[in-house]
Amino acid sequence: IDLVGRIADRGAEFVSAKEWMRICFELLELLKANKKAIRRAAVSTFGYIAKAIGPQDVLHTLLNNLKVQDRQMRVCTTVAVAIVAETCGPFTVLPALMNEYRVPEVNIQNGVLKALSFMFEYIGEMGKDYIYAVTPLLEDALMDRDAVHRQTGCACVKHLALGVAGLGCEDALIHLLNYVWPNIFEDSPHVINATCDAIEGLMVALGPNVILAYTIQGLYHPARKVREIYWKIYNMLYMYAADSLVLGYPVIEDENENAYARTTLELFI
């Protein structure tokens, strides 16, 4: 596999495009190999081939692959789409992906969301150029009735938030947080994990005090079910960013022997 990758990298013009396309499909099978070394080699070779013959042909066939029933195949395809995005630039892939999301079929839409999730994981801070383009699509995914849509949407938001942390996209991220937040009451463990992951990602990008403002409202709710999840999120904030939370706590008047003033913080401000 490495050898094929080297050829694609150094001497792609000596092999016809049709032949490269055929090799692409052989490689797709290898993306689900048991050994990690094989999977990693397949990933890098796929990137080289996409670079050699251009993203369009490869993308067309990959997006057709999202229509199949076999889940493993669809997951491999989404990884491949993300690799193409990384090597040829996200702008070559995003329009086709977002167009594909309009097909009203669960498998295809899930595949697109998963591809976006992998893509933002791969491209990291390049995501800041594309966050405003995908926000409406993620809104739709996070409002969907299907739990898997919301779960994958949360995974997208997590990778997106971690990628653009500190790059000034807070407006879009708060908007997405408003769509992620209602999912904290889900029963399914997978959805809950994805939602908490998204909130952790947003905590890094927006700062813990923004999340704290959302959390305080439910900490003393009369219903135990509600309190439980809110305390879980508060504990998460406390574990990851206890020092940053100091400036999020309310200002309380001093009592006789108890002083609540945070003098160093007030001096700093």
Side-chain angles (χ1 to χ4, degrees), residues 14-253:
F14 298 117
V15 183
S16 71
K18 199 174 255 178
E19 201 59 26
W20 282 129
M21 284 299 288
R22 193 182 61 74
I23 294 169
C24 269
F25 285 103
E26 303 289 326
L27 274 178
L28 262 187
E29 294 296 321
L30 291 170
L31 284 174
K32 56 182 176 191
N34 289 328
K35 275 195 171 154
K36 188 166 189 182
I38 296 180
R39 294 201 301 269
R40 190 172 281 158
V43 163
S44 59
T45 301
F46 211 102
Y48 288 135
I49 294 177
K51 210 172 194 169
I53 61 174
Q56 261 51 51
D57 295 334
V58 183
L59 249 188
H60 179 70
T61 29
L62 285 178
L63 292 177
N64 279 337
N65 256 5
L66 290 178
K67 297 184 175 73
V68 298
Q69 281 303 310
D70 173 28
R71 181 180 172 277
Q72 184 98 49
M73 192 65 195
R74 288 203 313 275
V75 172
C76 293
T77 303
T78 53
V79 174
V81 170
I83 301 160
V84 176
E86 190 191 18
T87 48
C88 304
F91 55 88
T92 56
V93 172
L94 258 181
L97 260 185
M98 292 173 73
N99 187 44
E100 202 65 25
Y101 187 81
R102 292 161 57 183
V103 179
E105 207 224 299
V106 180
N107 280 351
I108 294 179
Q109 292 190 346
N110 276 338
V112 168
L113 287 168
K114 219 175 194 61
L116 284 176
S117 171
F118 285 134
M119 186 182 91
F120 285 123
E121 188 178 354
Y122 279 165
I123 66 174
E125 55 189 40
M126 284 193 330
K128 78 175 197 312
D129 302 323
Y130 306 100
I131 180 168
Y132 296 104
V134 296
T135 298
L137 189 150
L138 290 175
E139 275 174 33
D140 183 84
L142 291 165
M143 286 192 298
D144 205 280
R145 287 182 60 177
D146 178 30
V148 185
H149 265 64
R150 297 200 301 277
Q151 177 189 321
T152 324
C154 283
C156 266
V157 173
K158 168 193 164 185
H159 294 306
L160 187 55
L162 288 172
V164 302
L167 297 175
C169 305
E170 279 76 12
D171 47 353
L173 290 175
I174 287 184
H175 183 61
L176 287 170
L177 174 60
N178 290 330
Y179 283 92
V180 169
W181 196 259
N183 291 304
I184 58 177
F185 300 118
E186 275 295 329
D187 293 327
S188 150
H190 291 294
V191 181
I192 266 293
N193 284 344
T195 307
C196 287
D197 279 353
I199 291 171
E200 280 178 37
L202 289 160
M203 178 188 84
V204 172
L206 294 169
N209 293 314
V210 174
I211 311 289
L212 182 70
Y214 280 74
T215 311
I216 287 177
Q217 56 182 338
L219 289 178
Y220 300 105
H221 193 278
R224 194 187 85 246
K225 265 267 171 61
V226 174
R227 284 199 308 272
E228 271 176 0
I229 183 63
Y230 273 94
W231 276 102
K232 181 181 171 183
I233 293 171
Y234 175 72
N235 288 338
M236 185 175 83
L237 290 174
Y238 191 83
M239 287 287 295
Y240 283 112
D243 52 341
S244 317
L245 287 180
V246 174
L247 30 143
Y249 294 138
V251 180
I252 301 173
E253 293 292 318

